[in-house]
Amino acid sequence: MKRKEVNSARIPIYRDAGFELYDAETTAEAFRKETEHHRESENYIYSRYRNPTVVSAEEEIMKLEGCNWALLTQSGMSAIDTALSIFQIGKNIRPWLFFTEIYGGTISFIESVLKNRRGLDIQYFTPDNSNYDLAKLEHVLADLKPELLYIETISNPMLIVADVENIMRIARKYGAKVIIDNTFATPYLYKPLSTGVDLAIHSATKYFSGHGNLSAGVVCGNDVKMMQSAIEYRKFIGHMISPDDAYRLQTQILTFELRFSRQCDNASKLAVYLKNIPFIKEVWFPGNKNHPTHHIAEKLFGGKGYGGMITFNFDGKDKDQKRSRRDKFIKLVSEKIKLIPTLGDAHTILMPVEAVWGTKYPEPGMIRLSVGFEEYRELEGIVSKALAKV
Ligand code: PLP
């Protein structure tokens, strides 16, 4: 059958594994151009290298992050691997410095792949009192002179907001590149590349996709050389997202700001509500005035919101009572608020912190909520009904 242009306003899902290159001359030119690692191709070669549906979805993310380039990968973890690995040139590199308050999967990747398999010099920086002590950070940077510093805009599960502008200033002074995981804040609240951060990564599985139905990651940046390295790494390691997932992500991302702004509003209201429950001991939410990094959240997010995550813990006379309140609550809300180990879903979902993080956070009654974009009154109704029985 002869193919023809159709009057569709959408980018098709190009499911080609390899693209037609017609003749030897076009093939030679396509492969020559491929060595230059352009973001787009005049002649696509092979979907693991680059794919037009993927490029189109990447352009939506570039608009959101306000950056020169964005590269999609099959998961947040492959985006993290890509962003970090482009700085691993040979064996003699300076240490890499990571904040300890980052996603647990990233810590596991650092320990098991970067440290144990690749033998890299990995160093950590631990916050004091749920805040980042910048004077201490400066000492560490001066001492280690690391190649790179890796942080998250909003940490997990304590929701510590990083003072990105000041961290950047110190990192630059000591010649460290900075990579930031902006998954929890999203570009709706903060665009780290505008502060000069070298690379921003996202688990697009979360708020960008927004419906808990696909796995994707993205590396965003402005520097062309870093883009070329990242394109090359993604191609050789095979971290490329599938065109089907890129298409679905591109469709779902069109409603990202609508969804996320509502999630921020819902979370702000629910955090206030939870604070007034007598047997809830603490509520960690960057919008609450008593959160240790509330002032940084105000500065960075300009009052637009504080994210869609809330961590709180049940009080009790001992650990058993705290656990029992937690478990009762989880059971009572389970029809509407499900225990699902992800975040950024359409509906509110939860995780018991102790079951995932073990003893890292000593309060056993802790629950992490990922607030959805359902109608707020309905959400508060479900929570209040359960709390009345707890
Ligand atoms: N970064 C953060 C902050 C996360 O929470 C996660 C996953 O939960 C990841 C990265 C990894 O993303 P993915 O699960 O899409 O690989």
Side-chain angles (χ1 to χ4, degrees):
M1 194 182 90
K2 193 118 180 82
R3 276 167 293 152
K4 60 171 190 157
E5 289 278 319
V6 290
N7 52 335
S8 167
R10 286 160 210 285
I11 181 96
I13 307 175
Y14 288 102
R15 289 198 177 104
D16 309 61
F19 292 84
E20 187 177 0
L21 288 172
Y22 312 110
D23 52 43
E25 199 184 328
T26 316
T27 307
E29 178 59 8
F31 274 85
R32 189 196 63 74
K33 270 258 160 86
E34 179 55 30
T35 60
E36 295 170 1
H37 305 302
H38 296 285
R39 197 179 60 77
E40 290 177 275
S41 293
E42 237 163 74
N43 276 310
Y44 287 87
I45 297 175
Y46 194 58
S47 270
R48 173 164 54 79
Y49 298 4
R50 242 176 308 295
N51 174 290
T53 311
V54 173
V55 168
S56 172
E58 288 170 348
E59 283 166 1
E60 287 300 326
I61 295 173
M62 284 158 60
K63 280 190 244 162
L64 284 176
E65 273 289 359
C67 57
N68 287 344
W69 55 268
L71 299 176
L72 279 165
T73 57
Q74 341 93 324
S75 65
M77 289 315 300
S78 46
I80 292 170
D81 180 33
T82 305
L84 287 166
S85 296
I86 64 171
F87 296 101
Q88 190 191 348
I89 315 282
K91 279 189 175 164
N92 297 323
I93 56 166
R94 291 179 283 150
W96 291 0
L97 181 63
F98 294 84
F99 280 8
T100 47
E101 289 300 304
I102 53 175
Y103 168 56
T106 309
I107 298 271
S108 302
F109 167 74
I110 294 164
E111 287 295 304
S112 116
V113 178
L114 301 185
K115 212 162 138 183
N116 296 345
R117 291 179 189 275
R118 297 194 198 167
L120 294 167
D121 180 357
I122 300 296
Q123 304 288 336
Y124 291 105
F125 178 78
T126 309
D128 291 337
N129 303 320
S130 309
N131 207 332
Y132 299 113
D133 180 340
L134 295 187
K136 195 169 145 196
L137 177 65
E138 177 149 11
H139 272 118
V140 174
L141 284 164
D143 185 37
L144 290 175
K145 304 259 172 10
E147 179 77 29
L148 61 87
L149 174 63
Y150 183 99
I151 62 179
E152 289 183 3
T153 318
I154 305 180
S155 80
N156 179 18
M158 303 314 289
L159 311 175
I160 306 171
V161 182
D163 186 349
V164 185
E165 286 160 17
N166 281 318
I167 292 171
M168 270 308 296
R169 187 178 46 74
I170 308 171
R172 283 286 181 260
K173 196 166 151 192
Y174 297 97
K177 297 273 190 296
V178 177
I179 302 177
I180 195 163
D181 182 332
N182 200 32
T183 303
F184 276 39
T186 82
Y188 175 79
L189 291 181
Y190 185 60
K191 295 182 175 64
L193 294 164
S194 65
T195 314
V197 166
D198 295 284
L199 295 174
I201 73 95
H202 286 266
S203 166
T205 314
K206 310 296 176 357
Y207 293 109
F208 282 175
S209 120
H211 297 73
N213 62 356
L214 67 86
S215 185
V218 66
V219 189
C220 304
N222 284 324
D223 183 276
V224 174
K225 284 216 159 60
M226 286 185 200
M227 177 193 75
Q228 290 166 329
S229 289
I231 286 176
E232 185 186 57
Y233 186 82
R234 179 180 65 172
K235 169 169 80 176
F236 290 149
I237 298 292
H239 277 336
M240 179 58 108
I241 191 172
S242 78
D244 287 71
D245 282 341
Y247 180 87
R248 292 196 299 133
L249 180 64
Q250 173 160 8
T251 309
Q252 290 169 205
I253 218 167
L254 295 177
T255 53
F256 158 71
E257 290 209 345
L258 281 175
R259 291 185 272 104
F260 190 66
S261 58
R262 168 97 160 222
Q263 280 162 320
C264 288
D265 282 353
N266 281 354
S268 290
K269 290 179 190 154
L270 194 65
V272 171
Y273 171 79
L274 291 173
K275 240 176 55 182
N276 294 320
I277 305 294
F279 53 94
I280 288 181
K281 194 172 162 194
E282 284 140 316
V283 178
W284 287 271
F285 181 68
N288 285 353
K289 288 207 166 53
N290 65 344
H291 187 277
T293 56
H294 173 69
H295 59 293
I296 300 168
E298 293 267 88
K299 183 175 77 167
L300 241 58
F301 308 152
K304 278 184 109 179
Y306 300 92
M309 304 297 293
I310 302 174
T311 300
F312 68 95
N313 69 5
F314 284 106
D315 207 353
K317 63 178 186 320
D318 55 23
K319 290 198 168 189
D320 285 345
Q321 191 181 27
K322 290 175 184 177
R323 282 195 189 102
S324 138
R325 282 180 166 159
R326 174 200 67 190
D327 295 343
K328 253 191 201 158
F329 177 80
I330 293 174
K331 197 159 175 227
L332 286 162
V333 296
S334 63
E335 216 172 281
K336 296 279 177 153
I337 301 179
K338 302 204 178 290
L339 194 167
I340 302 180
T342 182
L343 61 104
D345 212 328
H347 293 110
T348 300
I349 52 175
L350 61 76
M351 294 249 279
V353 171
E354 189 186 44
V356 181
W357 280 270
T359 52
K360 185 172 177 189
Y361 304 101
E363 283 293 337
M366 241 181 184
I367 286 184
R368 190 194 75 178
L369 282 178
S370 161
V371 178
F373 52 85
E374 56 268 74
E375 213 254 318
Y376 178 72
R377 266 182 308 178
E378 183 194 332
L379 174 61
E380 192 186 294
I382 298 160
V383 172
S384 66
K385 246 193 200 164
L387 289 176
K389 291 185 186 161
V390 166

